[in-house]
Every structure is written in structure tokens, then in C-alpha cells.
Amino acid sequence: MDYLLKDPRSWGLMLAAMLTIMSNATITPSLPGLEAIFADNSRAPLLTRLLITAPSLLVACVAPFAGAMTDRLGRKRPLLIGLVIYAVAGTAGLYLDSLEAILASRLALGLGVAAIMTAQAALVGDYFDGPARGRLMGYQMGATNVGGLVFVTLAGALAATDARLPFAIYGLAALLLPLLAVILPEPDRFSGTVGHAGGSGDSEPGWRMTVAVMTIAAGLTFVIFYAVPTQVPYHLRGIGLEDPRSAGLVMGAMMFAAAIMSVVSGLIRPRLGRIGTPVSGYLSLAAGFAGLAAGQSLPVAMVSTALIGAGLGMCMPTFITTALNVTPARRRGLVTGLVTASIFLGQFLSPLASQPLVTHLGYSGAFRIGAFAFVALAAALTVTLHRQAGPRSTNPIRRMPAEPGRKS
């Protein structure tokens, strides 16, 4: 068994990361019901759809500032404040009496998500080194995919009873608050304990360029990838697969493959390297998009989205891991904020990029363009990172100082 899974800090970080997948998707099954509840509002069709994208827009805007705050104030305080905001704003849809008020609460939810994501990702960099850091990032993405599948399924069951009930799921943050406060210690350089000072000597030469490449790559990846959840259900209907369960199976195949490959990516990254891992992921994404463009059946669609999920599972942990590996400790919060902002901005921009392609080329044509785009990204990343790659420490874990009555 991987020793990371015996470390309570690992589980605390995975639980914190799992909350972020809920920020958008959890209330998706509620949208038709919410539109019906507020049918007297002439803007209900638009406002209900904005409830999904509003948190992403706020995260994209404030994550860099939240990350910089974690570099100044420490990691733990912003994380716990983010959990409080998440719980209060996330559950507000249970009792607010207008769509405009619920939309405002969703914007506030984005503030909580930004604080949680940047603080927990920076803690990964503070607690762990080398291959362990990459494996934990993989475990986190696996946990978020499994959590997303569980929470969306639960939300669907709750929405069948009352469209407001899925908002209660966000209350999980309040339950996790005392647990994470106990098992996630403040890193040495913020707590005043003698330890790693996080000076400039722990960074790679040219780290700013590497971080910029990873940030841009993460954003572009999500601009293209998010065409799957936003366009595939309509594509399936267009090829005769009108049963909503077909879309559920196709999306489930993607999430399952992403969860598996996220865990595996941390094990194979030391062999494939900083360049080989995301490039392999991009080629898998390209193959999946090409399959969606050419396929006309449910099995082909499921295999295609599984390839897409596997590709994403290889790419995404690598982007943040690589950025953390090259960055000085004193800048990890800002860097994780930049990568986080790029990911959520990509989600927000994706429909704006994919819908014109669908309009002019159809769904198959749009997916074909996506396949070519991922091949181009693979080539561009290979060329750009070739001179940036360098040897890194292979120390598996950064130990916390011994506490009274506890072994280091």
C-alpha cells in the first residue's frame, strides 16, 4: 500500500479537493425544477443556466488573489475560511426566495472554491516532494471524479423529490471543517517552527516560463475538453440516442476512466517524464474526440469518452504538479491560483468557443476540430517544454517536525 494513503494529511487534502468538483455539477439535475419553481420570472431560463457557470467565473477572477493571500497569511486560515464560505453560500439555495439571490450566492460560492483550491494545492507542495507530489495529485483527481459521480447521482435522487434539496449537499463542507482543522497542520514557515524556509533556492531556473506554459496549457485543455459535457448530450440525440440514460452512460464512462488514469498517472509520470505524460494524455484526448466525430453508436461513444477521460486524467495532475515542482515555496500559493484560474476560465469560455463550431460544422465537425487541436497542443507542449525540462529531487516526502508524543 502506498504510504501516502497512510498519511492523514493526504486524505484531508483529497477531501478538500473533492469539494471543488461539487461547485458546478451538483445542482445540474435541479435546473428544470428550479426553472419551474420560478416560472413567473421571465429570465428564469437564462438565470437557471447561469447558476452553473457563475462559480467558475468568480474562481477565474479571484483565484490568483486567493493564491497570493495564502502566500502571505499561511495555508490553513484561507482554507478554513473558504470552507465556511462554501458551506454558507452553497446551501443558500435551500431558502433564498428569488433566482437573482440564488445567483448571488453562487457567485459567493466561487470565492469559497477559489480559497479552498488554492490553499489545498499549495499544501500539497508544502507537505510532499518529488514523485509523491505527483501521485497525490493523481489520487486527488481520482477522488474528485468519484466524488462527482456520487454527488451528481445523489443530487438527481434529491431533485426528484424537491429541486432545492441538492443545495443541502454543500453542507458537507461544514462537516469537514473541524476534521481538516485537526489533520492539516500549518507548514513550518507559517507556523514559526524551524524547518524549510522556502527560499529562492528551491526553484528551477526559468520557473516562471514553465509555470506560464502549464497555466496556458491547462486553460486551453479545458476550453476544448468542456465541449464534452456541454455538447455531447445534444450530439447523442442527433445520432438517434435520445434516451437520457445514454448520456449518463457516456459521461459515466468518461468519469470512471478519468478516475482510474488519475491514480495511474502518478505512478507512470516518473517514467514518461514532464513532457511525455501530458503529451500522451493529449494524444488520448485527440483519439477520443476523433471517435466522437466518427462514431454513430453508443458503444463507440462510450469508448471515445473513456479515452477522453483517460487523457484528462494524465494531463491535469501533471500541470499542477509540474508548476509546483519548479516554483519556490514562497510563490506556491500564487502559482496554484494562476493554474486554478486558468482551468475555470477555460470552463467558462468553452461554450463560447465550441458553439460557433457546432453551428457551422455540426457536432461531428466540432469534435474533429477538437481532435486536431489536441494534436497541435501536444506538439506545441513538446517543443516549448523541451528546454525547460530539468532534473528534480526524488525525495518522496517532506517530513513535518516531530510533535510531542508523536513520531516524525
Side-chain angles (χ1 to χ4, degrees), residues 311-347:
L312 191 72
M314 292 186 73
C315 288
M316 294 315 298
T318 300
F319 294 142
I320 297 180
T321 300
T322 299
L324 288 173
N325 284 349
V326 303
T327 302
R330 71 183 189 280
R331 293 287 183 262
R332 286 187 187 131
L334 175 61
V335 165
T336 56
L338 290 172
V339 177
T340 298
S342 181
I343 290 170
F344 277 83
L345 183 61
Q347 292 180 16

mmCIF file of all heavy atoms in Angstrom, residues 311-347:
data_model
loop_
_atom_site.group_PDB
_atom_site.id
_atom_site.type_symbol
_atom_site.label_atom_id
_atom_site.label_comp_id
_atom_site.label_asym_id
_atom_site.label_seq_id
_atom_site.Cartn_x
_atom_site.Cartn_y
_atom_site.Cartn_z
ATOM 1 N N GLY A 311 -7.285 10.550 -20.990
ATOM 2 C CA GLY A 311 -6.351 11.602 -21.379
ATOM 3 C C GLY A 311 -6.342 12.755 -20.397
ATOM 4 O O GLY A 311 -5.282 13.264 -20.026
ATOM 5 N N LEU A 312 -7.526 13.162 -19.957
ATOM 6 C CA LEU A 312 -7.602 14.247 -18.977
ATOM 7 C C LEU A 312 -6.957 13.827 -17.661
ATOM 8 O O LEU A 312 -6.288 14.617 -17.001
ATOM 9 C CB LEU A 312 -9.057 14.648 -18.752
ATOM 10 C CG LEU A 312 -9.253 15.945 -17.956
ATOM 11 C CD1 LEU A 312 -8.862 17.149 -18.794
ATOM 12 C CD2 LEU A 312 -10.691 16.071 -17.465
ATOM 13 N N GLY A 313 -7.144 12.558 -17.298
ATOM 14 C CA GLY A 313 -6.554 12.047 -16.069
ATOM 15 C C GLY A 313 -5.036 12.055 -16.092
ATOM 16 O O GLY A 313 -4.391 12.147 -15.041
ATOM 17 N N MET A 314 -4.448 11.959 -17.278
ATOM 18 C CA MET A 314 -2.994 12.048 -17.391
ATOM 19 C C MET A 314 -2.514 13.488 -17.418
ATOM 20 O O MET A 314 -1.466 13.822 -16.860
ATOM 21 C CB MET A 314 -2.516 11.332 -18.664
ATOM 22 C CG MET A 314 -2.689 9.832 -18.635
ATOM 23 S SD MET A 314 -1.955 9.035 -20.074
ATOM 24 C CE MET A 314 -0.212 9.201 -19.698
ATOM 25 N N CYS A 315 -3.269 14.366 -18.066
ATOM 26 C CA CYS A 315 -2.818 15.754 -18.241
ATOM 27 C C CYS A 315 -2.935 16.590 -16.979
ATOM 28 O O CYS A 315 -1.968 17.239 -16.561
ATOM 29 C CB CYS A 315 -3.631 16.429 -19.346
ATOM 30 S SG CYS A 315 -3.254 15.873 -21.014
ATOM 31 N N MET A 316 -4.114 16.614 -16.384
ATOM 32 C CA MET A 316 -4.396 17.622 -15.383
ATOM 33 C C MET A 316 -3.530 17.519 -14.133
ATOM 34 O O MET A 316 -3.033 18.550 -13.646
ATOM 35 C CB MET A 316 -5.882 17.604 -15.017
ATOM 36 C CG MET A 316 -6.782 18.031 -16.165
ATOM 37 S SD MET A 316 -6.208 19.518 -17.052
ATOM 38 C CE MET A 316 -6.267 20.738 -15.753
ATOM 39 N N PRO A 317 -3.301 16.323 -13.539
ATOM 40 C CA PRO A 317 -2.402 16.303 -12.378
ATOM 41 C C PRO A 317 -1.003 16.787 -12.733
ATOM 42 O O PRO A 317 -0.313 17.377 -11.895
ATOM 43 C CB PRO A 317 -2.388 14.819 -11.972
ATOM 44 C CG PRO A 317 -3.647 14.246 -12.537
ATOM 45 C CD PRO A 317 -3.870 14.995 -13.818
ATOM 46 N N THR A 318 -0.577 16.549 -13.980
ATOM 47 C CA THR A 318 0.771 16.931 -14.396
ATOM 48 C C THR A 318 0.940 18.438 -14.445
ATOM 49 O O THR A 318 2.003 18.969 -14.084
ATOM 50 C CB THR A 318 1.082 16.332 -15.782
ATOM 51 O OG1 THR A 318 0.986 14.913 -15.694
ATOM 52 C CG2 THR A 318 2.472 16.709 -16.245
ATOM 53 N N PHE A 319 -0.087 19.166 -14.880
ATOM 54 C CA PHE A 319 0.033 20.617 -14.983
ATOM 55 C C PHE A 319 0.342 21.246 -13.626
ATOM 56 O O PHE A 319 1.269 22.046 -13.481
ATOM 57 C CB PHE A 319 -1.241 21.225 -15.572
ATOM 58 C CG PHE A 319 -1.495 20.836 -16.993
ATOM 59 C CD1 PHE A 319 -2.778 20.585 -17.444
ATOM 60 C CD2 PHE A 319 -0.446 20.697 -17.890
ATOM 61 C CE1 PHE A 319 -3.017 20.225 -18.759
ATOM 62 C CE2 PHE A 319 -0.673 20.337 -19.207
ATOM 63 C CZ PHE A 319 -1.969 20.092 -19.641
ATOM 64 N N ILE A 320 -0.443 20.898 -12.601
ATOM 65 C CA ILE A 320 -0.233 21.495 -11.284
ATOM 66 C C ILE A 320 1.039 20.954 -10.649
ATOM 67 O O ILE A 320 1.809 21.698 -10.029
ATOM 68 C CB ILE A 320 -1.457 21.252 -10.379
ATOM 69 C CG1 ILE A 320 -2.700 21.944 -10.963
ATOM 70 C CG2 ILE A 320 -1.191 21.756 -8.972
ATOM 71 C CD1 ILE A 320 -3.956 21.775 -10.144
ATOM 72 N N THR A 321 1.288 19.641 -10.803
ATOM 73 C CA THR A 321 2.498 19.056 -10.222
ATOM 74 C C THR A 321 3.753 19.701 -10.794
ATOM 75 O O THR A 321 4.679 20.062 -10.053
ATOM 76 C CB THR A 321 2.532 17.539 -10.489
ATOM 77 O OG1 THR A 321 1.382 16.929 -9.902
ATOM 78 C CG2 THR A 321 3.780 16.914 -9.890
ATOM 79 N N THR A 322 3.807 19.855 -12.109
ATOM 80 C CA THR A 322 4.975 20.469 -12.729
ATOM 81 C C THR A 322 5.154 21.906 -12.261
ATOM 82 O O THR A 322 6.271 22.343 -11.952
ATOM 83 C CB THR A 322 4.846 20.432 -14.263
ATOM 84 O OG1 THR A 322 4.778 19.072 -14.698
ATOM 85 C CG2 THR A 322 6.041 21.102 -14.927
ATOM 86 N N ALA A 323 4.050 22.653 -12.187
ATOM 87 C CA ALA A 323 4.140 24.032 -11.717
ATOM 88 C C ALA A 323 4.657 24.099 -10.287
ATOM 89 O O ALA A 323 5.507 24.941 -9.950
ATOM 90 C CB ALA A 323 2.772 24.707 -11.827
ATOM 91 N N LEU A 324 4.185 23.210 -9.414
ATOM 92 C CA LEU A 324 4.657 23.189 -8.031
ATOM 93 C C LEU A 324 6.113 22.765 -7.941
ATOM 94 O O LEU A 324 6.883 23.289 -7.122
ATOM 95 C CB LEU A 324 3.783 22.243 -7.193
ATOM 96 C CG LEU A 324 2.362 22.712 -6.873
ATOM 97 C CD1 LEU A 324 1.592 21.596 -6.188
ATOM 98 C CD2 LEU A 324 2.380 23.947 -5.994
ATOM 99 N N ASN A 325 6.511 21.812 -8.778
ATOM 100 C CA ASN A 325 7.874 21.292 -8.708
ATOM 101 C C ASN A 325 8.923 22.345 -9.033
ATOM 102 O O ASN A 325 10.040 22.294 -8.517
ATOM 103 C CB ASN A 325 8.031 20.107 -9.664
ATOM 104 C CG ASN A 325 7.400 18.837 -9.136
ATOM 105 O OD1 ASN A 325 7.015 18.763 -7.974
ATOM 106 N ND2 ASN A 325 7.285 17.842 -9.990
ATOM 107 N N VAL A 326 8.598 23.278 -9.916
ATOM 108 C CA VAL A 326 9.606 24.250 -10.348
ATOM 109 C C VAL A 326 9.536 25.561 -9.570
ATOM 110 O O VAL A 326 10.432 26.385 -9.676
ATOM 111 C CB VAL A 326 9.466 24.558 -11.857
ATOM 112 C CG1 VAL A 326 9.565 23.284 -12.673
ATOM 113 C CG2 VAL A 326 8.161 25.296 -12.170
ATOM 114 N N THR A 327 8.476 25.764 -8.772
ATOM 115 C CA THR A 327 8.213 27.057 -8.144
ATOM 116 C C THR A 327 8.840 27.148 -6.753
ATOM 117 O O THR A 327 8.783 26.176 -5.991
ATOM 118 C CB THR A 327 6.690 27.270 -8.020
ATOM 119 O OG1 THR A 327 6.102 27.204 -9.324
ATOM 120 C CG2 THR A 327 6.370 28.614 -7.398
ATOM 121 N N PRO A 328 9.417 28.299 -6.373
ATOM 122 C CA PRO A 328 9.881 28.468 -4.997
ATOM 123 C C PRO A 328 8.706 28.415 -4.028
ATOM 124 O O PRO A 328 7.589 28.833 -4.368
ATOM 125 C CB PRO A 328 10.535 29.856 -5.010
ATOM 126 C CG PRO A 328 9.950 30.561 -6.177
ATOM 127 C CD PRO A 328 9.663 29.498 -7.199
ATOM 128 N N ALA A 329 8.961 27.903 -2.837
ATOM 129 C CA ALA A 329 7.882 27.690 -1.872
ATOM 130 C C ALA A 329 7.109 28.966 -1.581
ATOM 131 O O ALA A 329 5.889 28.931 -1.383
ATOM 132 C CB ALA A 329 8.463 27.112 -0.572
ATOM 133 N N ARG A 330 7.787 30.102 -1.570
ATOM 134 C CA ARG A 330 7.124 31.349 -1.209
ATOM 135 C C ARG A 330 6.134 31.816 -2.270
ATOM 136 O O ARG A 330 5.383 32.777 -2.051
ATOM 137 C CB ARG A 330 8.161 32.441 -0.968
ATOM 138 C CG ARG A 330 8.869 32.928 -2.213
ATOM 139 C CD ARG A 330 9.937 33.966 -1.911
ATOM 140 N NE ARG A 330 10.464 34.581 -3.127
ATOM 141 C CZ ARG A 330 11.366 34.036 -3.907
ATOM 142 N NH1 ARG A 330 11.871 32.843 -3.593
ATOM 143 N NH2 ARG A 330 11.789 34.658 -4.994
ATOM 144 N N ARG A 331 6.129 31.173 -3.451
ATOM 145 C CA ARG A 331 5.235 31.569 -4.539
ATOM 146 C C ARG A 331 4.228 30.465 -4.892
ATOM 147 O O ARG A 331 3.499 30.592 -5.869
ATOM 148 C CB ARG A 331 6.042 31.919 -5.788
ATOM 149 C CG ARG A 331 6.890 33.170 -5.646
ATOM 150 C CD ARG A 331 6.019 34.413 -5.652
ATOM 151 N NE ARG A 331 6.813 35.633 -5.588
ATOM 152 C CZ ARG A 331 7.052 36.316 -4.485
ATOM 153 N NH1 ARG A 331 6.555 35.876 -3.327
ATOM 154 N NH2 ARG A 331 7.774 37.412 -4.505
ATOM 155 N N ARG A 332 4.168 29.394 -4.117
ATOM 156 C CA ARG A 332 3.294 28.272 -4.483
ATOM 157 C C ARG A 332 1.821 28.657 -4.462
ATOM 158 O O ARG A 332 1.036 28.187 -5.289
ATOM 159 C CB ARG A 332 3.544 27.078 -3.549
ATOM 160 C CG ARG A 332 4.844 26.351 -3.836
ATOM 161 C CD ARG A 332 4.955 25.090 -3.001
ATOM 162 N NE ARG A 332 6.278 24.497 -3.175
ATOM 163 C CZ ARG A 332 7.064 24.108 -2.181
ATOM 164 N NH1 ARG A 332 6.646 24.240 -0.929
ATOM 165 N NH2 ARG A 332 8.244 23.587 -2.418
ATOM 166 N N GLY A 333 1.414 29.477 -3.512
ATOM 167 C CA GLY A 333 0.014 29.886 -3.469
ATOM 168 C C GLY A 333 -0.384 30.647 -4.710
ATOM 169 O O GLY A 333 -1.430 30.384 -5.315
ATOM 170 N N LEU A 334 0.424 31.610 -5.109
ATOM 171 C CA LEU A 334 0.126 32.397 -6.308
ATOM 172 C C LEU A 334 0.082 31.508 -7.542
ATOM 173 O O LEU A 334 -0.830 31.642 -8.383
ATOM 174 C CB LEU A 334 1.187 33.481 -6.489
ATOM 175 C CG LEU A 334 1.085 34.319 -7.776
ATOM 176 C CD1 LEU A 334 -0.233 35.059 -7.834
ATOM 177 C CD2 LEU A 334 2.259 35.294 -7.868
ATOM 178 N N VAL A 335 1.038 30.589 -7.649
ATOM 179 C CA VAL A 335 1.098 29.725 -8.837
ATOM 180 C C VAL A 335 -0.116 28.808 -8.901
ATOM 181 O O VAL A 335 -0.730 28.640 -9.964
ATOM 182 C CB VAL A 335 2.419 28.927 -8.835
ATOM 183 C CG1 VAL A 335 2.356 27.771 -9.831
ATOM 184 C CG2 VAL A 335 3.589 29.847 -9.169
ATOM 185 N N THR A 336 -0.500 28.200 -7.778
ATOM 186 C CA THR A 336 -1.694 27.354 -7.811
ATOM 187 C C THR A 336 -2.932 28.177 -8.119
ATOM 188 O O THR A 336 -3.867 27.702 -8.777
ATOM 189 C CB THR A 336 -1.878 26.608 -6.474
ATOM 190 O OG1 THR A 336 -1.931 27.554 -5.395
ATOM 191 C CG2 THR A 336 -0.746 25.632 -6.234
ATOM 192 N N GLY A 337 -2.959 29.430 -7.668
ATOM 193 C CA GLY A 337 -4.076 30.299 -8.012
ATOM 194 C C GLY A 337 -4.149 30.587 -9.494
ATOM 195 O O GLY A 337 -5.234 30.605 -10.085
ATOM 196 N N LEU A 338 -3.000 30.801 -10.123
ATOM 197 C CA LEU A 338 -2.979 31.060 -11.565
ATOM 198 C C LEU A 338 -3.459 29.852 -12.356
ATOM 199 O O LEU A 338 -4.253 29.979 -13.294
ATOM 200 C CB LEU A 338 -1.562 31.441 -11.996
ATOM 201 C CG LEU A 338 -1.057 32.818 -11.529
ATOM 202 C CD1 LEU A 338 0.421 32.969 -11.853
ATOM 203 C CD2 LEU A 338 -1.865 33.938 -12.164
ATOM 204 N N VAL A 339 -2.982 28.656 -11.990
ATOM 205 C CA VAL A 339 -3.406 27.446 -12.701
ATOM 206 C C VAL A 339 -4.899 27.201 -12.482
ATOM 207 O O VAL A 339 -5.639 26.863 -13.416
ATOM 208 C CB VAL A 339 -2.572 26.229 -12.262
ATOM 209 C CG1 VAL A 339 -3.069 24.961 -12.966
ATOM 210 C CG2 VAL A 339 -1.095 26.443 -12.564
ATOM 211 N N THR A 340 -5.357 27.381 -11.239
ATOM 212 C CA THR A 340 -6.780 27.214 -10.934
ATOM 213 C C THR A 340 -7.632 28.181 -11.738
ATOM 214 O O THR A 340 -8.661 27.803 -12.322
ATOM 215 C CB THR A 340 -7.026 27.430 -9.429
ATOM 216 O OG1 THR A 340 -6.304 26.442 -8.683
ATOM 217 C CG2 THR A 340 -8.510 27.324 -9.098
ATOM 218 N N ALA A 341 -7.217 29.449 -11.792
ATOM 219 C CA ALA A 341 -7.961 30.446 -12.556
ATOM 220 C C ALA A 341 -8.023 30.069 -14.027
ATOM 221 O O ALA A 341 -9.068 30.207 -14.679
ATOM 222 C CB ALA A 341 -7.313 31.826 -12.396
ATOM 223 N N SER A 342 -6.929 29.568 -14.556
ATOM 224 C CA SER A 342 -6.890 29.187 -15.964
ATOM 225 C C SER A 342 -7.857 28.048 -16.263
ATOM 226 O O SER A 342 -8.559 28.050 -17.277
ATOM 227 C CB SER A 342 -5.456 28.784 -16.340
ATOM 228 O OG SER A 342 -5.365 28.440 -17.697
ATOM 229 N N ILE A 343 -7.904 27.062 -15.362
ATOM 230 C CA ILE A 343 -8.820 25.921 -15.551
ATOM 231 C C ILE A 343 -10.268 26.391 -15.580
ATOM 232 O O ILE A 343 -11.055 26.030 -16.471
ATOM 233 C CB ILE A 343 -8.601 24.878 -14.433
ATOM 234 C CG1 ILE A 343 -7.246 24.184 -14.607
ATOM 235 C CG2 ILE A 343 -9.733 23.850 -14.428
ATOM 236 C CD1 ILE A 343 -6.855 23.323 -13.439
ATOM 237 N N PHE A 344 -10.648 27.220 -14.625
ATOM 238 C CA PHE A 344 -12.045 27.651 -14.542
ATOM 239 C C PHE A 344 -12.396 28.646 -15.645
ATOM 240 O O PHE A 344 -13.533 28.669 -16.118
ATOM 241 C CB PHE A 344 -12.335 28.232 -13.156
ATOM 242 C CG PHE A 344 -12.635 27.187 -12.127
ATOM 243 C CD1 PHE A 344 -11.612 26.519 -11.483
ATOM 244 C CD2 PHE A 344 -13.936 26.841 -11.822
ATOM 245 C CE1 PHE A 344 -11.868 25.537 -10.546
ATOM 246 C CE2 PHE A 344 -14.223 25.857 -10.890
ATOM 247 C CZ PHE A 344 -13.184 25.204 -10.238
ATOM 248 N N LEU A 345 -11.430 29.462 -16.051
ATOM 249 C CA LEU A 345 -11.686 30.340 -17.186
ATOM 250 C C LEU A 345 -11.908 29.519 -18.449
ATOM 251 O O LEU A 345 -12.781 29.846 -19.276
ATOM 252 C CB LEU A 345 -10.513 31.305 -17.376
ATOM 253 C CG LEU A 345 -10.672 32.338 -18.495
ATOM 254 C CD1 LEU A 345 -11.869 33.248 -18.231
ATOM 255 C CD2 LEU A 345 -9.393 33.165 -18.643
ATOM 256 N N GLY A 346 -11.152 28.439 -18.608
ATOM 257 C CA GLY A 346 -11.357 27.547 -19.743
ATOM 258 C C GLY A 346 -12.753 26.945 -19.748
ATOM 259 O O GLY A 346 -13.398 26.851 -20.805
ATOM 260 N N GLN A 347 -13.244 26.544 -18.565
ATOM 261 C CA GLN A 347 -14.609 26.012 -18.470
ATOM 262 C C GLN A 347 -15.631 27.056 -18.914
ATOM 263 O O GLN A 347 -16.579 26.743 -19.635
ATOM 264 C CB GLN A 347 -14.889 25.586 -17.027
ATOM 265 C CG GLN A 347 -14.086 24.391 -16.544
ATOM 266 C CD GLN A 347 -14.421 24.043 -15.106
ATOM 267 O OE1 GLN A 347 -15.429 24.481 -14.560
ATOM 268 N NE2 GLN A 347 -13.563 23.260 -14.487
#
